[in-house]
Amino acid sequence: MTETSFHAHIRKPASNAGGFFGYSPVVIVLVGLMLCVMLPPIIFLVMSSLHTTNPDGSFRDFTFRFYTDLVANPRFGRNLWNTSIYAVGAAIVAISLGALQAWIVERTDTPLRQYVFLISIISLGIPSVLYTAAFVLLLGKTGPVNQIIEALFGIQQAVNVYSMWGMIIVEGIDFAPLAFLLLAAVFRSMDASFEEAATMSGASGWQTFRRVTFMLAIPGVSALFILIFIRAFESFETPALVGRPAGIPLLTTDIYRATQVDSPPNYGQAGAYSVALLLIVAVLLAFYNRLSRHAGRFQTITGKGYRPRLMHLGKWRYLASAVLVLLFFIIVVAPIAIVIWASLLPFYQPFSMRAFGMLTVANFRGLFSADLLRDALVNTMILGIGTATVVSIMTALFAWLSVRRYKGAWMLDQLATAPLIFPSIVLGVALLQIFLAAPFAIYGAMSSLIYASSMRYLPYGMRYSYAGMLQIHTDLEEAASVSGAGKLAIFRRIVAPLLAPALITCWLYVFLSATKAVSMLILLAGPDTRVVAVTIFDLWADGSLPKLAAMGVTWTLFMACISGVFYSVARRYGVAAR
Amino acid sequence: MGTPAMLKFAMVLSAALLLAPVTSAADLTVEQVANLKGPDRQKILEEGARREGELLWVGSFNEDNAKPLLDAFAKRYPFIKVNRVRTDSTKALQRVLAEFRARSNKSDLVTSSAVVDLKKAGAIQSFASPTLDAYPAEDKDPEGYWAPFVFYYFGLAAYNTDQVKPPEAPKSYDDLLDPKWKGHIVVNAGSSGMPFFISFLRLQWGDQRATEWLERLAKQKVIGRTESSRTVFSMMVSGEHKLMIHPFLTHVGEAIKKGAPVNVAMVDPVPYTASPLMLAKTAPHPHASMLLIDFLLDREAQTIIRDGGYYPTHPDVQPAPEMAPFLPKTHGLKKFLVDETELANMQPETMKLYQRLFE
């Protein structure tokens, strides 16, 4: 089948959209809405990159200095190179781990596969600062990995986490659940008839995977690659926690200093960096858009029955189970185990007989005061549910309109992806400014927190919805249209239900991420809108590792229970493996 | 403050004092409330605070230690509700400045090390609390923009006693340059760590000697970590590193109390700094805020702070017994206040050195 024959029957809905100059009114309204939401912080960002500031933080003189500083830095070339290796590496690690899990779970008959979805969402419930710190402890000089290697082989300090490899692995593992959840949706809704055709033509399992399954997954995978690449490119956490002790400078090292060490924070430099990033991201997105222009090639949910059949692995399925168990161990068990260990100690120390003698539950006492339980917990849930719902609904609409190539709808995708380039600290400052200037009282209110975190997670939600949408063929919508259904009815009765598995995953991902996001909320939350993440940050900033660990264990347990409830709901909608 | 300004200030103040008993306290400006004097002060503050009913404290100070303080405050003034927004120093600065620019003030009491930035922006109000009278002049701001709330002392280097035996432990600055420490020294890369240390050396020794010594230290491949100072310290205690330069002595005392394998070298003079309390320029609840400031600086609150493992600032409140070994006084060492103003002035040069040698 050639590309043209596929394209021949994809009708461009834009031609019958009506509205103004071929723009659908829905698109116009949504683009207008997004511009209202996105433009103020972008303008603030560009302005701050072009101005020096007065002591009170207001803009003073126009300058290009921050841009010239960025490029004139003698280390710029090397930092850019380091950053690129790190970002590509992290994306490869995350996608490899995620794709392997997703394929085993969705396309094979491997035992235990039904638990991977649950496990992934549990790992998303672990507070981020703690998750990165857990890997630093696991792989550190005196960590259990080095202890075991030394006991077995007598090699001292065989693993050095403070290295480029360490950074790539820590960041890669951090994004593995995201990769798994996105790719599971891709693999699940893939037309198995191609694979069956390949198998019948004599291809081996590996050949089928490489030449059919993988190729069909390319749009999903490339979107994911770009997402993780950008996120790693602008990330502060792993470069700060792992790269800084390794002495590996990245582009964000300067931004870290500008916003965290310098006082007052130098937003000009951070702004210039973000603007440069914005341009790079625009290029990547344009590239991605070209790639997905041929989306017709990848649509596999058509009018005919699309539920893919599972591949029978035979005796290999036990190997596949072993792989799942190993990954479960790496992604969830090991980091949680070290956090539990830390939570039971008066001060952090590696495994030893002396340490065993000191175990205590004192860190768990008084962790949850009545206030915290009452206010912060309720606020956190409102924030998570609100953000996830806003993001899911908006991105479902955006994805539908842009995948169906409504005129101008590409802008929705671009606008929803733009927040990715804001380092959250810069976005936080921009929003703080905007909320304070708003003519109505939004500063410190819950609605402002939902607004801010919706913005932060729109890009991620967009990828879930987009990947899900790409695979829905137009013929069902056309059939509905021919039968007289209006646009809204089509979206509500055809698109939304078909998109439901992707949307539920999207909702869960955003819910879990929004409840643990920190740096922006610290700037924006008011005294009445305390959230649990801020308490966790407080413990992190205070530096009491055992207390932080105790809080983290308790929080993870709580989120695991919530995840479990959602999991059982999600199963009913066919999100998780059957 | 020039003479006319001083005069004007005095006039306003005396007018305020004259009028205070007759007019309602709501007519007083933040500046007037902050600088009230005389026998009626407490009464005016309490009356005003009753009307205000609450205040907002923005900034660093962890919940565990703040809670007993605020409980004690609530016992004394049950009609004041203290709301808190907990942030680190930088974010407290960002918040207060953003509110100040937008003329939409919510914050009252501010705790942040960014005293100079807040002062330059005109976002804080100088104040006079009678409790400060008991404090020695060297510990407080002559202009009254901040009051010392907690002290932090710093050691030269803390070391892991499992890996470093006392005889081989460093005892002087030059001991740190011994090649045996190469790759084993860690430092907090945040502003209270290496940048503070560099400024302190420049203050103490002058630029030339400090730079020479730091250049030699840089050859030791000092590892910078970006976690909080206490986490960096606990990574050293856990054995990841042998030495930590410029540790907070409170962390050392706390760890030794819990049986951690750690000790510290202190040298003369011992640098210290104060965690400052500030009042926002346009605080919406100045009366309640002044009552809280008075309270946090008095004996009762300072004793609670001491019991939380911190070094109290009140001269009559002695540090906890387990903290005493880590006081400069115990060892006959002088203490050296590294003033926030000086730190801010030195910052540009310090950051250049820091970037060149340690990043």
Side-chain angles (χ1 to χ4, degrees), chain B residues 77-96:
Chain B
Y77 304 111
F79 49 88
I80 304 174
K81 180 173 176 244
V82 180
N83 298 307
R84 285 198 72 201
V85 167
R86 284 167 295 153
T87 71
D88 55 26
S89 269
T90 312
K91 294 196 181 73
L93 169 72
Q94 289 164 346
R95 259 187 117 100
V96 173

Side-chain angles (χ1 to χ4, degrees), chain A residues 397-428:
Chain A
L397 265 171
F398 293 177
W400 179 52
L401 294 167
S402 58
V403 170
R404 290 293 175 255
R405 306 211 159 267
Y406 279 83
K407 197 173 175 190
W410 60 271
M411 278 193 283
L412 291 173
D413 190 12
Q414 290 274 6
L415 286 168
T417 310
L420 202 57
I421 50 91
F422 289 108
S424 56
I425 183 86
V426 179
L427 182 60

Side-chain angles (χ1 to χ4, degrees), chain B residues 1 9 35 119 125-128 140-146 341:
Chain B
M1 222 186 272
F9 176 67
N35 291 288
K119 193 173 138 190
Q125 171 62 51
S126 58
F127 58 86
K140 47 188 184 190
D141 179 21
E143 293 179 282
Y145 280 99
W146 57 271
T341 316

Side-chain angles (χ1 to χ4, degrees), chain A residues 194-482:
Chain A
F194 294 114
E195 288 173 354
E196 280 159 19
T199 315
M200 275 190 291
S201 315
S204 68
W206 168 242
Q207 279 175 315
T208 308
F209 176 80
R210 195 165 53 90
R211 306 203 40 187
V212 179
T213 318
F214 183 74
M215 295 310 271
L216 282 171
I218 276 182
V221 169
S222 56
L224 182 59
F225 188 90
I226 291 171
L227 181 78
I228 300 175
F229 177 84
I230 295 169
R231 191 60 197 85
F233 206 84
E234 57 120 9
S235 67
F236 287 78
E237 300 82 358
T238 308
L241 292 180
V242 185
R244 186 65 179 77
I248 300 176
L250 301 188
L251 288 173
T252 43
T253 310
D254 288 334
I255 311 306
Y256 173 83
R257 180 171 13 76
T259 56
Q260 307 288 313
V261 185
D262 281 358
S263 183
N266 181 348
Y267 297 124
Q269 201 178 8
Y273 180 79
S274 304
V275 171
L277 206 59
L278 191 69
L279 299 177
I280 296 174
V281 174
V283 172
L284 286 174
L285 277 180
F287 174 73
Y288 170 71
N289 273 347
R290 273 179 64 122
L291 201 71
S292 61
R293 187 163 302 155
H294 307 296
R297 280 191 291 184
F298 306 99
Q299 289 169 345
T300 55
I301 301 182
T302 63
K304 61 185 175 164
Y306 74 91
R307 286 290 182 196
R309 254 175 265 154
L310 299 180
M311 188 181 280
H312 296 283
L313 290 181
K315 62 177 193 263
W316 292 105
R317 69 182 191 276
Y318 297 109
L319 178 68
S321 293
V323 169
L324 290 184
V325 171
L326 181 70
L327 288 177
F328 169 56
F329 192 83
I330 295 172
I331 294 173
V332 178
V333 177
I336 291 187
I338 195 116
V339 171
I340 293 177
W341 170 252
S343 74
L344 295 172
L345 290 165
F347 56 92
Y348 184 74
Q349 52 191 318
F351 293 101
S352 68
M353 286 319 288
R354 179 178 71 188
F356 271 104
M358 290 182 168
L359 295 183
T360 165
V361 291
N363 297 314
F364 286 87
R365 265 181 231 133
L367 257 188
F368 291 91
S369 61
D371 292 4
L372 183 73
L373 275 178
R374 196 179 54 238
D375 304 337
L377 214 55
V378 171
N379 286 335
T380 305
M381 290 299 119
I382 295 175
L383 174 68
I385 292 169
T387 306
T389 309
V390 169
V391 169
S392 303
I393 293 174
M394 287 179 79
T395 59
L397 265 171
F398 293 177
W400 179 52
L401 294 167
S402 58
V403 170
R404 290 293 175 255
R405 306 211 159 267
Y406 279 83
K407 197 173 175 190
W410 60 271
M411 278 193 283
L412 291 173
D413 190 12
Q414 290 274 6
L415 286 168
T417 310
L420 202 57
I421 50 91
F422 289 108
S424 56
I425 183 86
V426 179
L427 182 60
V429 174
L431 291 175
L432 181 63
Q433 192 87 355
I434 292 160
F435 293 154
L436 276 163
F440 39 89
I442 186 173
Y443 175 53
M446 188 43 93
S447 52
S448 76
L449 299 190
I450 293 177
Y451 175 117
S453 44
S454 298
M455 202 157 150
R456 183 97 191 117
Y457 291 102
L458 263 182
Y460 300 89
M462 198 60 203
R463 295 296 45 103
Y464 282 104
S465 304
Y466 202 90
M469 197 60 218
L470 267 184
Q471 295 181 320
I472 303 175
H473 198 276
T474 50
D475 58 4
L476 292 172
E477 289 157 65
E478 282 160 17
S481 179
V482 167

Side-chain angles (χ1 to χ4, degrees), chain B residues 27-349:
Chain B
D27 297 332
L28 298 179
T29 64
V30 176
E31 187 177 359
Q32 289 165 341
V33 176
N35 291 288
L36 279 173
K37 285 201 174 72
D40 284 343
R41 180 178 181 274
Q42 183 67 20
K43 190 168 147 259
I44 297 170
L45 288 181
E46 281 187 32
E47 277 172 7
R50 259 175 220 281
R51 260 193 322 277
E52 291 164 358
E54 60 172 3
L55 71 98
L56 178 59
W57 173 3
V58 173
S60 47
F61 202 61
N62 70 56
E63 189 69 0
D64 277 355
N65 290 88
K67 200 176 177 307
L69 281 174
L70 295 183
D71 287 348
F73 183 68
K75 230 173 247 162
R76 200 183 293 181
Y77 304 111
F79 49 88
I80 304 174
K81 180 173 176 244
V82 180
N83 298 307
R84 285 198 72 201
V85 167
R86 284 167 295 153
T87 71
D88 55 26
S89 269
T90 312
K91 294 196 181 73
L93 169 72
Q94 289 164 346
R95 259 187 117 100
V96 173
L97 287 188
E99 289 178 4
F100 184 70
R101 286 196 299 275
R103 301 283 174 266
S104 161
N105 267 71
K106 307 278 187 289
S107 311
D108 294 294
L109 184 70
V110 185
T111 40
S112 162
S113 60
V115 177
V116 178
D117 298 321
L118 286 165
K119 193 173 138 190
K120 263 193 206 153
I124 47 174
Q125 171 62 51
S126 58
F127 58 86
S129 166
T131 27
L132 272 178
D133 295 347
Y135 285 59
E138 54 166 349
D139 287 345
K140 47 188 184 190
D141 179 21
E143 293 179 282
Y145 280 99
W146 57 271
F149 168 47
V150 176
F151 279 145
Y152 295 107
Y153 295 95
F154 297 90
L156 171 65
Y159 52 93
N160 183 313
T161 51
D162 284 347
Q163 298 186 11
V164 180
K165 296 298 161 210
E168 42 187 75
K171 285 164 195 72
S172 67
Y173 284 98
D174 284 346
D175 284 353
L176 293 174
L177 304 176
D178 190 320
K180 72 180 173 187
W181 304 125
K182 193 167 184 175
H184 295 296
I185 303 176
V186 70
V187 69
N188 167 20
S191 53
S192 67
M194 202 59 183
F196 183 106
F197 183 62
I198 293 174
S199 290
F200 164 62
L201 292 185
R202 292 176 57 211
L203 274 174
Q204 193 195 176
W205 291 342
D207 279 356
Q208 199 192 344
R209 185 175 161 203
T211 309
E212 277 168 19
W213 188 83
L214 287 164
E215 277 168 350
R216 291 170 70 197
L217 181 69
K219 296 205 177 83
Q220 296 282 56
K221 295 218 172 306
V222 174
I223 298 162
R225 298 191 74 120
T226 54
E227 294 99 333
S228 69
S229 192
R230 194 159 158 200
T231 305
V232 177
F233 176 77
S234 52
M235 295 309 281
M236 182 273 295
V237 173
S238 81
E240 283 296 300
H241 315 279
K242 288 183 180 170
L243 289 184
M244 178 186 179
I245 291 185
H246 195 62
F248 281 76
L249 290 177
T250 38
H251 300 163
V252 179
E254 180 196 9
I256 289 179
K257 188 182 167 192
K258 288 179 178 168
V262 66
N263 208 338
V264 68
M266 292 159 67
V267 288
D268 202 44
V270 174
Y272 78 111
T273 182
S275 172
L277 283 180
M278 289 167 284
L279 178 66
K281 182 88 186 177
T282 40
H285 311 105
H287 299 85
S289 304
M290 283 314 296
L291 288 178
L292 182 57
I293 289 175
D294 289 351
F295 170 76
L296 290 174
L297 296 170
D298 78 9
R299 268 199 207 89
E300 182 185 353
Q302 287 288 318
T303 308
I304 297 173
I305 286 169
R306 187 266 314 272
D307 295 342
Y310 287 91
Y311 287 111
T313 51
H314 197 290
D316 298 347
V317 181
Q318 294 308 310
E322 68 268 20
M323 290 297 167
F326 309 105
L327 263 183
K329 206 166 61 182
T330 317
H331 303 275
L333 301 174
K334 287 191 290 295
K335 52 182 196 171
F336 188 109
L337 180 69
V338 183
D339 184 67
E340 293 290 347
T341 316
E342 274 167 325
L343 272 183
N345 292 337
M346 299 177 80
Q347 203 205 16
E349 277 305 309

